[in-house]
Amino acid sequence: MPDVFADLVGQDEAVATLRHAAAAAAAVLRAAHPVAAGSGPAEVEGQPGVDPGAGMTHAWIFTGPPGSGRSVAARAFAAALQCAYGTGCGECPGCHTTMTGTHADVRLVVPEGLSIGVGEMRALVLRAASTPSGGRWQIVIIEDADRLTEAAGNALLKAIEEPPPRTVFLLCAPSTHPDDVSVTIRSRCRVVPLRQPPAAAVAEVLVRRDGIAPDVAQWAAAAAQGHVGRARRLARDPEARQRRDAVLAVPRRLTGVGAALDAASALIEAAEAEAEASVAEADAAERAALQTALGAGGTGRGAAGAMRGAAGQLKDLEKRQKSRATRAQRDALDRALVDLAGFYRDALTMALRAPVAPVHTDTAAMAEAGAQKWDAEGALRRLEAVLECRAAIEANVKPRIAVEAMMLTLWKG
Ligand SMILES: [Zn+2]
């Protein structure tokens, strides 16, 4: 039976750190048990056999490129902290409920919109201060901590600065750059850096865990460029493969200005369609749930008051859903740009005769043709155009404008 860290692909160093911390945390609980009160991470220092420098602390940041497994690592660590044996055995109720997202003392914040608001954060911090019902730790996992609003970040900082004795904060962010995590929050946290897992390690987990055929797993792992979740989707979801094929057909289609602008429109519209499909189900379910919660019908003064409240709640919900749709669109577009960047990276490495495996094995011949036509310089200019487009969209340039500019460069070089 694999333990909770088994799915953390190619991250041996991080796993060693987390196992060590989980053991130290278990020692804290064991030490605190006889006295029952006044326990906390600070007591680690007083415990013989536990190295406080490498032990447990109450705030952590998991950093790494998208798909490297930041949230997988955070969740596995949470499970190890809640594990009855303190190891993350993968079998006890603490491990099991944490991994399936049903543990009463583990709260997961997944931002659906472009940012996590202060209201959400305050409520969370308040609940996180309560005594853990399972007797171990109160854990708050914040995915995409780089998407906290400034006010939300301040609310979180306050909690991290004055942590309740049994509360652990696990933050996930692309990096510890001040754009991603404020310097003050960073200074209170221990950082666990994750690296982009090698394709072979990703392929191995697809075969072992998901039962995917080895040749498909290898292709998907390379094409996903170290993104484990993306690799699994490519291996399993025919629609994801079709979308990727459409993106990789772009370079071939750029025959003039008109074609470049058409390609830009097609890319944007495909991202919109993909995003719409991904949020439609959740949107409808939430609307139905809200309507049920508010109750249909009813008369009298109470009902009129409830209706006024309902209008506000509905407006809130619409705002949240719109923000989530925008986010889903950007994510879909970004996935397409990463695929496209992989193609031009292949052309560049081929032009340089660099001894590295191509990202997209199935378009390697086309990349080779590009390499001959453009040389290394031309391939590099095109790769840079894709990366600049990503950066521009990240910096809030209107996606259509950024994508059109990129397509023109991809055509002209
Ligand atoms: Zn366990």
Side-chain angles (χ1 to χ4, degrees):
M1 178 75 196
D3 73 7
V4 294
F5 294 109
D7 287 346
L8 216 50
V9 185
Q11 311 289 356
D12 298 348
E13 237 175 274
V15 169
T17 303
L18 297 175
R19 283 190 195 284
H20 198 93
V28 170
L29 293 181
R30 272 197 304 275
H33 193 251
V35 285
S39 59
E43 287 191 6
V44 176
E45 268 162 300
Q47 295 310 314
V50 176
D51 174 6
M56 184 55 187
T57 185
H58 70 287
W60 298 73
I61 302 181
F62 297 84
T63 62
S68 56
R70 298 180 304 229
S71 56
V72 177
R75 198 182 301 227
F77 185 40
L81 292 176
Q82 304 292 21
C83 174
Y85 306 100
T87 57
C89 67
E91 286 179 325
C92 73
C95 283
H96 188 72
T97 51
T98 304
M99 294 306 272
T100 52
T102 54
H103 197 293
D105 298 331
V106 180
R107 258 167 283 280
L108 177 69
V109 184
V110 185
E112 294 186 324
L114 290 172
S115 59
I116 305 173
V118 63
E120 198 182 342
M121 184 54 66
R122 284 209 185 109
L124 192 80
V125 162
L126 206 65
R127 286 187 61 188
S130 59
T131 308
S133 60
R136 297 187 71 87
W137 305 95
Q138 266 302 348
I139 302 176
V140 179
I141 303 175
I142 302 173
E143 277 190 23
D144 299 312
D146 53 309
R147 284 167 174 157
L148 293 173
T149 61
E150 201 185 332
N154 288 337
L156 175 65
L157 176 64
K158 226 173 142 236
I160 290 180
E161 276 178 338
E162 292 160 27
R166 286 287 182 83
T167 304
V168 181
F169 293 93
L170 307 178
L171 281 56
C172 307
S175 75
T176 52
H177 189 279
D179 284 353
D180 287 338
V181 179
S182 80
V183 176
T184 40
I185 288 184
R186 157 76 188 84
S187 70
R188 303 271 169 174
C189 296
R190 188 169 306 168
V191 179
V192 180
L194 301 172
R195 61 193 188 118
Q196 182 171 310
V202 175
E204 192 270 325
V205 82
L206 293 187
V207 172
R208 172 173 58 75
R209 186 188 53 193
D210 303 313
I212 290 163
D215 55 333
V216 177
Q218 271 160 25
W219 164 80
Q225 304 178 56
H227 193 306
V228 184
R230 170 92 176 129
R232 188 178 319 123
R233 250 192 317 280
L234 282 175
R236 282 184 150 177
D237 179 1
E239 280 180 31
R241 279 201 292 276
Q242 273 166 22
R243 283 194 290 267
R244 172 180 169 277
D245 289 348
V247 169
L248 290 178
V250 163
R252 214 174 28 231
R253 295 209 176 130
L254 299 173
T255 51
V257 178
L261 296 180
D262 285 350
S265 289
L267 199 66
I268 302 264
E269 280 153 25
E272 281 170 1
E274 185 187 341
E276 205 168 300
S278 76
V279 299
E281 206 176 312
D283 282 1
E286 283 170 2
R287 268 197 304 277
L290 182 58
Q291 272 156 7
T292 308
L294 295 171
T299 51
R301 266 188 303 179
M307 281 314 291
R308 277 194 298 277
Q313 286 188 47
L314 204 61
K315 217 171 142 190
D316 271 0
L317 179 64
E318 278 169 5
K319 205 173 125 194
R320 244 190 359 259
Q321 291 186 339
K322 191 161 178 271
S323 170
R324 179 169 60 197
T326 306
R327 163 84 192 284
Q329 243 172 63
R330 283 198 193 178
D331 288 350
L333 188 56
D334 198 58
R335 272 194 293 280
L337 292 174
V338 169
D339 282 344
L340 209 50
F343 172 81
Y344 289 104
R345 173 233 180 242
D346 286 348
L348 175 63
T349 56
M350 287 169 187
L352 293 171
R353 303 277 154 235
V356 288
V359 169
H360 302 300
T361 46
D362 46 353
T363 54
M366 200 165 75
E368 180 64 53
Q372 304 222 343
K373 197 166 135 196
W374 305 321
D375 277 336
E377 254 190 86
L380 180 60
R381 270 201 302 280
R382 287 170 173 84
L383 174 57
E384 280 175 349
V386 181
L387 300 179
E388 273 165 25
C389 178
R390 286 185 78 195
I393 291 170
E394 187 63 39
N396 276 325
V397 172
K398 220 165 169 269
R400 182 172 292 272
I401 291 172
V403 172
E404 283 180 353
M406 173 190 78
M407 289 294 186
L408 289 172
T409 306
L410 294 184
W411 163 55
K412 284 185 302 191

